[in-house]
Amino acid sequence: MQGKKAHQEKLFIQFQLSNHIPADNFYRRLKKLLDLDFLYQSTSKHYGKEGQKSIDPVVFMKLMLVGYLENIPSDRRIIASSAMRMDILYFLGHDLGEELPWHSTLSRTRKLYGEEQFITLFKQVLKLCINKGLISGKRQSVDSALIPANASKHSMIERVVMEDASVFTQELNDNIEDEPVPSENDEESNKDDQDKAAPTNQTHVSPSDPDARLTTKPGKPMNLYYRTQMSVDTKSHFITYIQAFPGNAADNVSLPEILDRVVENMNENDLQVKEILADTGYSSGEAIRALIGHDIEGYIPNPGNYKHSREEEGFTYDAENDWYTCLNGVHLPFRRIESTYNKPTLQKKIYESNISDCKNCPLKNTCANAKGFKKLVDSMDKYLYQYMQQRVQSVKGKQMKLLRSSTVEPVFGSLINHTGLKRINTKGLKQANKCMLIAATAYNLKKLLKNMIRPIKVVQKQLAHNINDTLNNILSLSGQQYALKSLSWF
Ligand code: SF4
């Protein structure tokens, strides 16, 4: 007989939320693991003694985490999704039917709290991972990625106008809800944009997010971005440091600050960073000096100019006389120090031959410049680049190159595609930093809980294996092998 489900909603039911959340549920396990009580103390300075009660700081931070754990980029949708999930309600400490905070409260509270609360949470989770023996700290892989800002390059205005209108735009910003801006595929606006002079960071600024910077890189269109700098432990791929920088901040300029923070995060947990892996973008004399200062071995390929030694180009160096000698036996003595046009502090040593020396040289066409002499430009940090070149060309250096790309790039892929970092949905560098810290915390928590399940399964498997072996021995002695079949469930 065909059945037909009759449904009549019960007016009164007896229901206990915790009874309906399985013991192995992610949010149940997370609730047990995470202690956010420090927030009551650290955020108390933001509140007065009287007036309406604020959102519970722990509930706020848990909702932030839920947004990144569930890859939900909108405060409105975080609240809507949480209200429909029993496990998330249990994690938040809410009951069925209990009203969740209004979505705009999330945006206001995120602005209210300082970065230190988000850094403390990140470090607390990092400590949990270290205490479980999942992070060695010894070798760190560093890389950066551009994350689109919540602003349109088409609405950028000239900086002079911006200064006059700063009060007005501040008021405007305060009233803008942190929701994603529409996509920039509008053909008409692109056409209008081509007619105008191209904006630059020097001449133009975004009125809604003055900290966002125009920049580009291969595979990325020119747009307003923030740059996320991140270090990943090569042993287990946990994130050990993350920070927001302006989109146009060069990697090699940021490296000394990155090193300070990574070393600090590890030292706080009695771990020592011994090796840093990074790509060519992080190479500079200053960066190599910072590595040496921290007593860290770096594996950072030199930029094109410093990939080949002068010897490979046919010039031998005489340190005593400070000159080069070419294949034709001509000396190129040190002439002067030159500064780079837009970077006066970046100085280079210039070595030049005489026109008369090169005049009759058979190699003149391929060697000398249009004026008829040879000019060699050396970095003031030539010895640092040579030291790095030897290291990256070694067998270990080549292994480290492969390890770097296989470590940090998948983590960025996971953060961007599955942990809510496709776009920064707030305004300002500090807010962007908070978003990145929460995304990295969510990523580490996911990995940590996954790793905490694995050892239990391994022990269970090992135990079953041992029991099976023991029984096998006993039964084989008594000639009852057939009984083993009945134990196959192990
Ligand atoms: S062109 Fe001048 S510097 Fe170059 S190989 Fe000939 S003599 Fe030497």
Side-chain angles (χ1 to χ4, degrees):
M1 182 182 145
Q2 187 184 42
K4 189 171 182 187
K5 173 88 177 72
H7 174 62
Q8 183 157 17
E9 267 190 294
K10 287 180 185 169
L11 283 177
F12 304 101
I13 52 169
Q14 195 170 8
F15 187 89
Q16 194 167 358
L17 190 54
S18 58
N19 289 343
H20 295 265
I21 314 296
D24 62 348
N25 175 273
F26 176 83
Y27 285 103
R28 183 167 200 136
R29 292 168 59 227
L30 185 58
K31 185 183 171 89
K32 200 174 168 194
L33 178 78
L34 208 56
D35 180 7
L36 297 177
D37 282 354
F38 75 91
L39 285 166
Y40 293 116
Q41 173 71 31
S42 63
T43 60
S44 60
K45 63 186 175 194
H46 298 296
Y47 299 106
K49 299 272 181 236
E50 291 172 357
Q52 212 179 355
K53 274 190 180 174
S54 74
I55 183 174
D56 184 318
V58 173
V59 173
F60 161 75
M61 204 55 97
K62 285 185 173 179
L63 282 166
M64 289 287 96
L65 279 172
V66 167
Y68 288 93
L69 288 166
E70 298 291 318
N71 200 12
I72 303 173
S74 144
D75 294 341
R76 196 189 296 260
R77 281 175 49 209
I78 291 172
I79 298 295
S81 302
S82 301
M84 292 188 291
R85 288 271 299 272
M86 288 200 299
D87 56 350
I88 295 179
L89 287 175
Y90 178 73
F91 172 60
L92 297 174
H94 271 242
D95 228 322
L96 278 185
E98 191 180 344
E99 206 174 335
L100 285 167
W102 188 242
H103 66 83
S104 62
T105 313
L106 297 185
S107 164
R108 278 201 303 274
T109 311
R110 189 169 43 225
K111 279 180 196 156
L112 178 70
Y113 290 176
E115 287 167 282
E116 63 276 10
Q117 269 91 41
F118 295 81
I119 293 171
T120 307
L121 174 61
F122 174 78
K123 287 188 174 182
Q124 195 189 63
V125 172
L126 187 66
K127 197 176 194 63
L128 285 174
C129 303
I130 291 170
N131 289 346
K132 296 276 175 203
L134 298 169
I135 296 175
S136 79
K138 184 187 160 201
R139 186 183 296 131
Q140 302 293 315
S141 186
V142 175
D143 206 352
S144 71
L146 293 179
I147 311 291
N150 189 14
S152 168
K153 68 174 179 178
H154 301 295
S155 62
M156 289 178 85
I157 57 173
E158 284 187 50
R159 279 193 179 271
V160 180
V161 177
M162 177 63 197
E163 277 161 24
D164 294 338
S166 57
V167 177
F168 169 71
T169 49
Q170 183 57 48
E171 282 175 15
L172 205 62
N173 279 344
D174 290 345
N175 293 314
I176 289 174
E177 194 191 335
D178 289 342
E179 291 293 324
V181 293
S183 113
E184 293 176 0
N185 293 334
D186 186 341
E187 278 181 28
E188 269 187 40
S189 69
N190 282 340
K191 194 164 170 285
D192 289 349
D193 194 53
Q194 283 166 8
D195 298 339
K196 292 178 206 163
T200 66
N201 290 316
Q202 285 71 39
T203 59
H204 288 69
V205 68
S206 165
S208 63
D209 188 353
D211 291 344
R213 288 288 178 272
L214 272 176
T215 191
T216 183
K217 67 186 274 189
K220 291 256 181 194
M222 176 67 80
N223 216 332
L224 288 164
Y225 292 100
Y226 285 100
R227 188 178 291 263
T228 174
Q229 292 287 355
M230 181 173 77
S231 90
V232 173
D233 188 83
T234 58
K235 181 187 168 192
S236 53
H237 300 197
F238 277 93
I239 299 170
T240 53
Y241 153 86
I242 195 162
Q243 190 176 343
F245 283 78
N248 61 343
D251 290 340
N252 55 6
V253 175
S254 309
L255 190 65
E257 187 177 348
I258 295 167
L259 287 178
D260 288 346
R261 298 286 83 79
V262 176
V263 169
E264 180 186 303
N265 287 356
M266 292 297 101
N267 286 354
E268 283 173 0
N269 294 287
D270 300 323
L271 296 179
Q272 234 189 334
V273 183
K274 299 240 171 84
E275 293 170 355
I276 289 280
L277 322 181
D279 64 25
T280 307
Y282 289 87
S283 176
S284 74
E286 199 55 42
I288 301 171
R289 258 192 293 278
L291 285 166
I292 294 169
H294 282 290
D295 198 17
I296 292 173
E297 281 186 12
Y299 291 88
I300 307 176
N302 288 336
N305 297 352
Y306 307 108
K307 272 196 170 133
H308 303 286
S309 67
R310 292 284 181 221
E311 280 69 27
E312 286 175 81
E313 294 170 24
F315 296 89
T316 48
Y317 183 64
D318 180 343
E320 200 179 320
N321 294 304
D322 197 14
W323 68 36
Y324 280 98
T325 306
C326 72
L327 287 172
N328 208 22
V330 166
H331 297 315
L332 288 79
F334 166 69
R335 303 283 185 183
R336 62 191 177 279
I337 286 176
E338 277 182 4
S339 298
T340 309
Y341 168 67
N342 53 354
K343 289 181 189 161
T345 52
L346 196 61
Q347 297 183 320
K348 299 193 168 174
K349 288 179 85 175
I350 307 297
Y351 297 84
E352 284 173 350
S353 65
N354 290 320
I355 294 176
S356 55
D357 289 333
C358 300
K359 200 173 170 185
N360 299 316
C361 175
L363 302 170
K364 187 181 169 186
N365 287 343
T366 53
C367 178
N369 59 18
K371 290 178 183 167
F373 64 92
K374 178 68 179 174
K375 178 179 177 180
L376 292 175
V377 182
D378 265 2
S379 165
M380 299 289 279
D381 298 317
K382 185 173 78 170
Y383 291 104
L384 293 176
Y385 286 111
Q386 283 173 346
Y387 151 85
M388 186 57 76
Q389 187 64 10
Q390 283 169 2
R391 197 191 290 280
V392 294
Q393 277 182 336
S394 65
V395 175
K396 186 176 176 185
K398 285 170 188 163
Q399 290 169 347
M400 292 299 108
K401 187 181 173 190
L402 291 174
L403 183 63
R404 184 195 66 75
S405 53
S406 66
T407 302
V408 73
E409 285 167 16
V411 180
F412 263 128
S414 180
L415 272 185
I416 291 168
N417 296 314
H418 308 295
T419 323
L421 257 199
K422 206 161 236 163
R423 170 178 213 100
I424 296 294
N425 288 325
T426 54
K427 316 265 188 188
L429 185 63
K430 285 185 178 177
Q431 301 300 320
N433 197 31
K434 293 173 191 174
C435 291
M436 290 177 191
L437 283 160
I438 284 281
T441 305
Y443 171 89
N444 279 350
L445 280 169
K446 268 189 201 174
K447 265 189 96 66
L448 175 62
L449 285 174
K450 211 172 172 183
N451 273 282
M452 282 169 71
I453 277 187
R454 202 169 291 155
I456 297 167
K457 283 189 175 167
V458 170
V459 170
Q460 281 174 340
K461 237 180 179 176
Q462 189 62 46
L463 199 62
H465 186 75
N466 291 346
I467 293 170
N468 211 0
D469 274 358
T470 311
L471 286 172
N472 206 356
N473 289 338
I474 294 167
L475 293 175
S476 67
L477 282 173
S478 58
Q480 296 181 34
Q481 283 282 356
Y482 67 91
L484 269 175
K485 285 180 186 170
S486 62
L487 296 166
S488 58
W489 56 273
F490 272 117

